[in-house]
Amino acid sequence: MPLTLHHLGLSQSERIIWLAEELNLAYNFVHHKRDPIFAPQSIKDLHPAGTAPVMEDDPSPVTQSRIVLAESGAIIDYIIAVHGNGQFAPTPKDGETYANYLEWYHFANGSLQPALFSVLMTRGPASDPNSPVVVRTLAKWDQLLSMMENRLGETGAYLAGKTLTAADIMTIFTLTTMRGFCPVEYDGEKHKHILAYLERVGERPAYRRAMEICEGKEFVPLLGVKAEQFSLMKR
Ligand SMILES: N[C@@H](CCC(=O)N[C@@H](CS)C(=O)NCC(=O)O)C(=O)O
């Protein structure tokens, strides 16, 4: 089995396992435990980025030798192109869906994830909730959620259109597991399309399998209005 997918517990590498399960790929799964909240040496040994996900393809059909990749977007593009027959990545022949796909695919790590990360970095227990930085970062997060809410209201399904694409696979971590690090709530009315979207994703067998592979049977994906902070953040 040439493909090895490295997952760091409770992290954005869940995206890659979800994609592999949607594609029904054969792969080796390696779980790395956080140490205590950051990446352990075993991840740093794989790639200078020192972050998860990391993918190894050995031998890669592209180079006939070992390829090691970090960065969710790069790994997703590689797997879809090399092992996935182009599935979940619309192309120009898909018309408007292609344009929407590109925008939302890049929105995930270009805007949404940095926005919630900024909330995490600025809104600590000791921070003043009225400080301009805290207010601004939360306002940015709210604005991006509204944008996504409108889009999901338009499609009634997924971000690029009626079917799942890699744009959704990139996005869901920020809307779910990331909230275990930085609890933000959704509003049942204001975010009703986002909540319906999370429910839709939560019903996908491949998503459920991926979450169980990544975090174990007991883990409950953070798909609802509220999210409890992970215990590893309360040390
Ligand atoms: N842009 C990168 C971000 C990767 C990243 O920051 N991963 C986090 C997990 S969510 C990580 O490995 N953190 C551990 C650390 O930085 O020590 C990607 O999409 O792969």
Side-chain angles (χ1 to χ4, degrees):
M1 225 185 288
L3 203 57
T4 301
L5 305 180
H6 292 270
H7 173 64
L8 174 66
L10 300 170
S11 86
Q12 45 202 297
S13 43
E14 68 179 40
R15 295 161 164 165
I16 312 303
I17 309 304
W18 180 19
L19 173 67
E21 290 298 316
E22 291 283 355
L23 290 169
N24 272 313
L25 293 184
Y27 61 97
N28 303 306
F29 173 77
V30 183
H31 186 281
H32 300 256
K33 196 170 177 304
R34 286 178 178 267
D35 179 24
I37 58 172
F38 296 110
Q41 191 58 42
S42 55
I43 288 276
K44 296 177 187 154
D45 289 343
L46 287 165
H47 194 286
T51 53
V54 179
M55 178 215 81
E56 290 179 85
D57 201 10
D58 189 13
S60 160
V62 177
T63 58
Q64 280 71 56
S65 59
R66 178 172 174 256
I67 281 188
V68 182
L69 280 183
E71 282 300 332
S72 309
I75 296 171
I76 287 178
D77 287 351
Y78 176 95
I79 290 178
I80 288 176
V82 177
H83 296 289
N85 216 9
Q87 289 176 79
F88 303 116
T91 64
K93 71 173 172 32
D94 298 302
E96 207 183 320
T97 303
Y98 172 62
N100 285 313
Y101 167 69
L102 280 185
E103 190 169 272
W104 289 103
Y105 183 62
H106 290 282
F107 174 86
N109 258 13
S111 295
L112 191 71
Q113 174 65 13
L116 191 52
F117 191 72
S118 300
V119 175
L120 171 66
M121 290 292 114
T122 52
R123 193 190 62 171
S127 69
D128 170 3
N130 298 316
S131 87
V133 176
V134 172
V135 170
R136 170 71 189 142
T137 52
L138 272 172
K140 186 71 199 166
W141 169 247
D142 258 13
Q143 181 226 328
L144 299 183
L145 281 188
S146 299
M147 193 179 149
M148 188 170 286
E149 174 70 13
N150 291 339
R151 176 64 189 155
L152 291 166
E154 278 166 18
T155 67
Y158 294 99
L159 288 167
K162 291 289 175 209
T163 60
L164 183 91
T165 68
D168 306 294
I169 294 175
M170 279 294 284
T171 298
I172 288 294
F173 165 79
T174 312
L175 297 178
T176 59
T177 309
M178 178 68 184
R179 292 193 300 148
F181 294 91
C182 182
V184 282
E185 286 187 16
Y186 299 128
D187 180 300
E189 188 46 37
K190 201 168 126 192
H191 301 128
K192 62 174 188 285
H193 297 302
I194 290 177
L195 286 162
Y197 173 58
L198 296 181
E199 202 177 312
R200 198 169 298 125
V201 165
E203 283 164 2
R204 294 185 73 89
Y207 178 78
R208 295 160 81 106
R209 279 200 307 279
M211 294 312 293
E212 189 175 324
I213 292 165
C214 289
E215 311 306 340
K217 266 193 189 337
E218 305 305 311
F219 182 72
V220 181
L222 309 182
L223 300 164
V225 167
K226 286 185 200 287
E228 264 286 301
Q229 194 172 43
F230 294 138
S231 52
L232 66 90
M233 294 296 284
K234 294 179 184 153
R235 290 159 183 269

